[in-house]
Amino acid sequence: MTTVGVERHVTVNGVTSAAVAVPAGEAVGRVLGTQSASPLSFWIGLEPGKVVQLDDVVVTRREVPGHGPVLMAGVVSTVEARHEGAAYDSDVFLIADGALPAAVVEVAEVRVTRVEPEVFVPPLPGAQVYLAGAGDRDQALYFDVMDRRIPIGTGRDGQPLYVNFDFLDGTRGAHVSISGVSGVATKTSFATFMLYSIFNSGVLGGEAANTKALIFSVKGEDLLFLDHDNSRLDEAARSVYGRLGLPARPFSSVHVFAPPRPGDPNGVPHVSARTQGVSSFFWTLVEFCQEELLRFVFADADDERAGYSLLVGQVAARLHSWAEPVGDGGAVRIRGTACRTFSDLVELLSDELQDEASRHEWTGATTPLGTVNAFLRRLRSAVRPLSPIVRGDLPFFRAHTIRTSDAQVSIVDLHNLPERAQRFVVGVVLRGEFHRKESSGTAKPLLFVVLDELNKYAPREGESPIKEILLDVAERGRSLGVILIGAQQTASEVERRIVANSAVRVAGRLDSAEATRSEYGWLPPAVRERATIAKPGTMFVAQPEIPVPLAVAFPFPAWATRPSEAVTVTRPGAPATPADPFQGLPGPEDDIPPF
């Protein structure tokens, strides 16, 4: 039986793509009688000349008395080939020479994904098995019952695969957990593509303009050009976007926030490649005291175990009560002493806490000197990493807060900050956005938060202020419209409740040892093995509605993923930029992205 091609237009949330050829039910084999078939899985023997591969969707039918025809659809999970008639390993040479009669047999295991109607009977041996056509494929993968779906890439057959948006926006579930080896699994690339699909698939309807995304970037300046065309995008990649019903273009609205350049008295953003749409962020000493941000200086899990967590809260409360603004630059006066830098504030606290007469006023109780000294040692070590972003020495009080109201996608660039300062920024910003959503009293419009290295901010062991916030987002964010898209190298090192509350789970290339952990129990054994050799750009996506994870290939980004890919748009009337004779040559950090 030959393959019959039909033309079909793919429609995704009202957007119709170009026509594509779809196989119309090619017969590939029959249900085996030598292996037991069950309502949940069965084996098929392939007809000579027919081939199926992992992730192919196949269907078979059975006439059941009293119920009529029952459709049994599934995904190929294992494919095997063997010599039938060989008794010894060495027989393969005799068979190849024609001295021993034997037949080559190919068989495949199918994991059942859907039975329609739900009459759970096994397929009968000898029943014909077909590659799923357009309608059967959508039915087998539950795409036909997804009223709101977003494309996440293509399957082995080149056709679109979807995620039910009900499990992303909080209607029936929320949050995404992405795991994989750093630099190979393309976790951040998949997260940004998922955001792009949400914003451009039409699933948001009238809420599209107000829905926001907040991305914390730690990978150099690679994410600072999401609103620039990718110079490496070719027609083949554009055709994939058309097949998915998406436009092949960059993000339309992006604003970047970066820390001030060290030593710069004007607080110029510390970025080198991007010059437009960038604002510097920092916190004044007034805000640091009034908002009691001291606890985020001690954001490591080790700080909670050190015994001075109570002292942190007491000192923060005193700063809130005693700090008075000085001028319009964000400086403060505390008990008669003016502080214009974070170093000034730390020195003041050191003098006050080491003085026997004033210590009790700050601590509010008898506090062991050893606890005070441990607190001060930790506080002094924060001067260097936090001084650029906690300050009161700028010449004027300027707009400096990280906000999501300026653009649809707000990017917080952290790569120039030490790890301790990164923790401070993530904790303070997440707390502010979560409180803002709480005070709004409504889940709409949605806020998507993309946070890489989740195992660093919400480790399985210990407690910290950032971990508390992330747990709050994971457990209550669904009702408040705050959706976490978290990425990590090792899901086994992330707080269990955060991973457990993620309705959509994604795995890219996995480390062999990590793949054996119980946190990947949602991956069947064969898929776990495949994940250890997965190529960049291939992800395994699990969602509650579909009983098996889908192998997804997402398209090459239409937006620049590094400065060298960014297409500079010259505005009318602007002077032309002279040609760069070195354009196209790789820079010291300009490696080829894994796509």
Side-chain angles (χ1 to χ4, degrees):
M1 182 173 180
T2 59
T3 302
V4 180
V6 297
E7 292 294 317
R8 180 169 71 90
H9 290 269
V10 180
T11 302
V12 182
N13 301 306
V15 181
T16 303
S17 70
V20 293
V22 180
E26 176 187 2
V28 292
R30 295 183 181 273
V31 177
L32 284 180
T34 55
Q35 297 277 2
S36 297
S38 78
L40 301 179
S41 67
F42 58 90
W43 287 79
I44 62 175
L46 301 181
E47 294 182 1
K50 301 298 181 182
V51 175
V52 297
Q53 59 178 329
L54 298 178
D55 308 313
D56 277 346
V57 182
V58 298
V59 297
T60 186
R61 288 174 171 82
R62 174 180 175 179
E63 190 74 28
V64 180
H67 297 280
V70 175
L71 169 75
M72 285 162 274
V75 175
V76 175
S77 59
T78 304
V79 182
E80 298 178 354
R82 67 176 184 272
H83 272 139
E84 196 170 52
Y88 304 101
D89 293 341
S90 59
D91 286 348
V92 65
F93 302 103
L94 298 175
I95 295 170
D97 295 335
L100 183 67
V104 176
V105 177
E106 288 188 81
V107 297
E109 183 183 23
V110 178
R111 290 174 59 91
V112 175
T113 57
R114 190 169 181 180
V115 178
E116 195 66 38
E118 288 192 338
V119 180
F120 289 98
V121 294
L124 295 177
Q128 194 85 54
V129 179
Y130 302 86
L131 281 177
D136 288 342
R137 180 180 181 273
D138 284 355
Q139 196 171 16
L141 300 178
Y142 292 84
F143 295 156
D144 62 324
V145 296
M146 295 182 184
D147 295 329
R148 300 187 304 155
R149 61 189 191 182
I150 63 167
I152 54 172
T154 57
R156 293 273 181 181
D157 55 3
Q159 302 307 307
L161 296 174
Y162 304 94
V163 160
N164 192 339
F165 193 62
D166 285 351
F167 291 104
L168 284 178
D169 72 342
T171 302
R172 299 163 64 186
H175 312 308
V176 182
S177 175
I178 308 175
S179 304
V181 178
S182 179
V184 181
T186 57
K187 303 184 295 295
T188 305
S189 297
F190 183 75
T192 52
F193 174 76
M194 181 174 283
L195 279 180
Y196 180 82
S197 183
I198 292 171
F199 289 144
N200 293 276
S201 63
V203 71
L204 292 172
E207 292 288 340
N210 296 321
T211 301
K212 307 294 185 180
L214 177 63
I215 302 176
F216 293 96
S217 172
V218 295
K219 299 181 181 301
E221 298 190 2
D222 292 352
L223 291 180
L224 305 192
F225 294 88
L226 298 184
D227 54 344
H228 289 64
D229 288 296
N230 194 324
S231 60
R232 298 178 60 230
L233 188 71
D234 55 21
E235 288 304 318
R238 291 182 185 276
S239 68
V240 178
Y241 282 89
R243 206 177 311 158
L244 296 175
L246 297 172
R249 64 189 182 202
F251 287 81
S252 59
S253 176
V254 173
H255 194 90
V256 176
F257 296 91
R261 194 177 298 275
D264 189 290
N266 297 312
V268 175
H270 191 188
V271 293
S272 57
R274 180 170 181 138
T275 58
Q276 296 181 342
V278 184
S279 300
S280 60
F281 70 83
F282 57 91
W283 287 266
T284 65
L285 291 175
V286 173
E287 293 166 334
F288 184 86
C289 296
Q290 290 181 349
E291 299 175 16
E292 299 188 25
L293 303 185
L294 181 65
R295 63 195 302 257
F296 292 101
V297 177
F298 300 84
D300 288 342
D302 291 340
D303 290 319
E304 291 293 323
R305 295 191 291 263
Y308 46 71
S309 57
L310 180 61
L311 179 58
V312 172
Q314 292 168 334
V315 173
R318 299 299 183 272
L319 290 174
H320 175 78
S321 301
W322 294 342
E324 300 174 354
V326 177
D328 61 356
V332 293
R333 178 180 288 109
I334 302 173
R335 306 185 74 178
T337 303
C339 300
R340 297 192 176 277
T341 66
F342 184 63
S343 178
D344 292 342
L345 180 62
V346 172
E347 287 303 317
L348 169 69
L349 291 176
S350 179
D351 293 340
E352 292 285 309
L353 290 174
Q354 287 181 331
D355 185 86
E356 290 285 348
S358 59
R359 182 187 309 147
H360 180 75
E361 298 180 58
W362 283 90
T363 61
T366 303
T367 304
L369 186 59
T371 301
V372 172
N373 289 335
F375 167 83
L376 290 176
R377 282 196 301 271
R378 183 69 173 154
L379 184 61
R380 291 190 190 101
S381 67
V383 170
R384 183 173 181 180
L386 293 185
S387 289
I389 56 174
V390 179
R391 54 200 303 171
D393 58 342
L394 291 182
F396 54 87
F397 195 88
R398 53 182 295 180
H400 57 272
T401 58
I402 296 172
R403 54 203 175 273
T404 57
S405 58
D406 292 351
Q408 188 173 55
V409 179
S410 300
I411 302 172
V412 182
D413 180 28
L414 302 175
H415 83 280
N416 281 319
L417 291 176
E419 184 174 316
R420 192 165 182 187
Q422 292 180 9
R423 293 178 187 273
F424 179 87
V425 174
V426 171
V428 174
V429 172
L430 284 182
R431 188 189 70 166
E433 289 298 322
F434 197 69
H435 286 176
R436 180 183 63 82
K437 290 291 290 182
E438 277 186 314
S439 61
S440 70
T442 177
K444 300 295 179 67
L446 299 174
L447 172 65
F448 291 91
V449 178
V450 179
L451 181 60
D452 199 359
E453 299 182 3
L454 192 59
N455 51 300
K456 180 172 72 176
Y457 301 108
R460 176 155 298 186
E461 304 297 333
E463 301 294 334
S464 73
I466 302 178
K467 183 175 178 179
E468 292 175 10
I469 295 171
L470 289 171
L471 277 171
D472 220 7
V473 171
E475 295 174 344
R476 295 197 300 128
R478 171 184 171 185
S479 61
L480 297 174
V482 181
I483 312 302
L484 176 64
I485 302 178
Q488 60 278 323
Q489 295 186 45
T490 52
S492 61
E493 297 179 1
V494 178
E495 167 61 41
R496 288 185 178 90
R497 285 182 288 170
I498 293 178
V499 177
N501 278 284
S502 299
V504 178
R505 303 188 185 187
V506 184
R509 176 77 167 267
L510 292 176
D511 176 77
S512 299
E514 176 70 9
T516 62
R517 301 295 184 93
S518 60
E519 286 73 20
Y520 301 94
W522 54 275
L523 288 174
V527 180
R528 289 197 197 193
E529 293 182 18
R530 289 173 57 197
T532 62
I533 60 172
K535 292 182 178 180
T538 297
M539 315 297 285
F540 301 94
V541 182
Q543 54 186 310
E545 225 162 16
I546 305 177
V548 297
L550 303 177
V552 177
F554 65 96
F556 187 85
W559 48 91
T561 60
R562 59 192 62 236
S564 61
E565 294 176 349
V567 176
T568 303
V569 179
T570 304
R571 296 183 177 181
T577 303
D580 182 3
F582 301 104
Q583 185 176 7
L585 294 178
E589 298 182 357
D590 187 24
D591 56 328
I592 302 301
F595 286 97

